[in-house]
Amino acid sequence: MKNSRYFIYTALTLILFFILGCQPQPNNKLTQGEGFIDVTGGKVWYKVVGEGDNTPLLLLHGGPGFTSYYLNPMADLGKDRPVIFFDQLGCGRSDRDIDTTLMTVEAYVEQVEQLRKTLGLKEFYLYGHSWGTMLGIDYYLSYPDHVKAMIFASPALSVSKWSKDADALISTLPDSIQTDIKTSVENNTFDTPSYEHAITVFYQRYVARKLPWDANMDSTFAGANLNVYNYMWGPSEFTATGTLMNYERADKLPEIKVPTLYVCGEYDEARPETVQYFQSLTPGSKMAVIEDAAHVTMHDNPVQNNMVIGDFLKELEE
């Protein structure tokens, strides 16, 4: 009888150990490596770098329809914690063949939640860059319990303000460039050499200033899905004609209840004045401006970009 009870106890212990061992491991149990996760509509590619015991950092890249390659310099933050990169559905190393029913903020929010569940993240820091800030705040508004803090980098939280800022920056370009942009907008002709040249000039001033662009930037553009970008945003950074053209979340910023950091470049298309306005609406938030940088701060000045973010996270953990 005693041996039977011992056998049953041992068997139950082994079964429990096996079940618990097969569950997704939260936070500091993340292991380095890359793979694919099933989400609604296809598979998304992800990669974890860093094995520190601190709270993981999940990165939401910009676009929509671009990729996470340009965020690669932020892998250095992995010395203190796991850093999670992923390409959103429709671009880069993730499944690219998607229809417009999946090109919605709501669908992308659910992708983030499905990624979180599969990785077993109980809590994490959420970083969003550009379009990633739209996705980030909407994720937080839907699933606030798992977000320990947020970082809004070069935010696009109000398209009306973004468009006004774009107009202000366009006014600094040569007259001929301004005329080409105005003509293209009025005639709805965005595939002309003159408009494409205007995009290049604008991008080299206010998107990524450090030339030549590196391999991460080249891969970002090579892996982009312009069908997603054009459908949701428009033909260029300064012309919003897609489904996001009426996106506004400034009124939701007072609802944020977690520590929040705003980051932008000195020459960012997300102008520091506007970012400061967003910061003023967010309780207890902080702001930092990255010197000699435009929109892609991690390309133009990766050292200061990582230092600002790393210091913010360390302060939370002291």
Side-chain angles (χ1 to χ4, degrees):
M1 190 71 168
K2 180 185 288 185
N3 288 340
S4 297
R5 287 199 300 269
Y6 177 78
F7 175 78
I8 293 171
Y9 173 78
T10 302
L12 290 174
T13 300
L14 289 172
I15 291 171
L16 182 62
F17 177 80
F18 176 78
I19 291 173
L20 292 176
C22 290
Q23 298 301 310
Q25 298 299 307
N27 294 342
N28 60 356
K29 299 299 182 182
L30 283 171
T31 56
Q32 294 192 75
E34 61 184 300
F36 293 89
I37 287 175
D38 290 316
V39 299
T40 302
K43 295 180 181 292
V44 296
W45 171 90
Y46 78 94
K47 183 176 182 179
V48 178
V49 301
E51 293 182 318
D53 293 335
N54 292 325
T55 301
L57 175 65
L58 175 61
L59 308 180
L60 305 179
H61 65 71
F66 278 73
T67 73
S68 64
Y69 287 106
Y70 74 96
L71 297 178
N72 281 343
M74 296 178 66
D76 286 347
L77 294 168
K79 65 181 181 295
D80 297 315
R81 69 194 71 255
V83 180
I84 305 161
F85 298 79
F86 82 103
D87 288 342
Q88 296 155 26
L89 195 65
C91 69
R93 291 148 286 192
S94 296
D95 285 350
R96 295 172 60 87
D97 187 15
I98 63 173
D99 60 37
T100 56
T101 62
L102 295 169
M103 299 180 195
T104 67
V105 177
E106 294 79 12
Y108 281 109
V109 165
E110 291 309 310
Q111 288 172 31
V112 177
E113 177 62 3
Q114 289 168 326
L115 177 73
R116 181 199 70 78
K117 287 181 177 178
T118 303
L119 293 179
L121 294 174
K122 184 177 179 181
E123 61 180 11
F124 60 97
Y125 299 131
L126 185 59
Y127 170 97
H129 177 257
S130 194
W131 138 255
T133 63
M134 296 175 165
L135 178 54
I137 190 170
D138 274 44
Y139 177 85
Y140 173 79
L141 293 171
S142 297
Y143 299 102
D145 294 343
H146 303 289
V147 180
K148 194 173 181 181
M150 289 198 295
I151 302 168
F152 291 130
S154 303
L157 299 171
S158 165
V159 175
S160 61
K161 288 189 174 297
W162 182 280
S163 297
K164 289 179 181 177
D165 284 348
D167 290 342
L169 296 177
I170 288 171
S171 71
T172 69
L173 302 179
D175 290 345
S176 60
I177 300 293
Q178 294 184 48
T179 299
D180 290 338
I181 293 173
K182 181 179 179 181
T183 300
S184 294
V185 171
E186 289 176 348
N187 297 329
N188 198 35
T189 53
F190 301 113
D191 57 354
T192 63
S194 59
Y195 187 76
E196 292 175 0
H197 174 64
I199 289 176
T200 299
V201 173
F202 184 92
Y203 282 26
Q204 290 180 354
R205 289 197 186 189
Y206 301 117
V207 177
R209 294 172 68 86
K210 187 169 69 175
L211 298 175
W213 287 358
D214 63 13
N216 290 322
M217 290 292 291
D218 290 341
S219 295
T220 295
F221 279 85
N225 186 337
L226 295 183
N227 290 331
V228 177
Y229 183 78
N230 291 335
Y231 179 80
M232 294 185 69
W233 181 255
S236 74
E237 291 291 280
F238 48 79
T239 306
T241 57
T243 58
L244 292 172
M245 64 184 299
N246 296 315
Y247 182 94
E248 302 289 335
R249 292 294 184 274
D251 63 324
K252 297 294 184 180
L253 296 178
E255 299 179 18
I256 295 176
K257 307 299 182 185
V258 296
T260 303
L261 172 68
Y262 286 88
V263 180
C264 69
E266 182 180 0
Y267 304 101
D268 207 317
E269 58 183 332
R271 298 174 71 203
E273 298 90 335
T274 298
V275 178
Q276 188 173 37
Y277 169 73
F278 294 147
Q279 186 261 327
S280 73
L281 298 177
T282 310
S285 62
K286 298 181 178 181
M287 178 178 167
V289 177
I290 308 302
E291 298 173 357
D292 296 323
H295 193 56
V296 190
T297 55
M298 63 293 300
H299 165 78
D300 286 344
N301 192 342
V303 173
Q304 187 182 4
N305 183 76
N306 288 346
M307 181 183 68
V308 163
I309 294 169
D311 287 350
F312 171 70
L313 298 180
K314 286 178 183 177
E315 287 178 9
L316 298 178
E317 295 165 342
E318 288 178 349

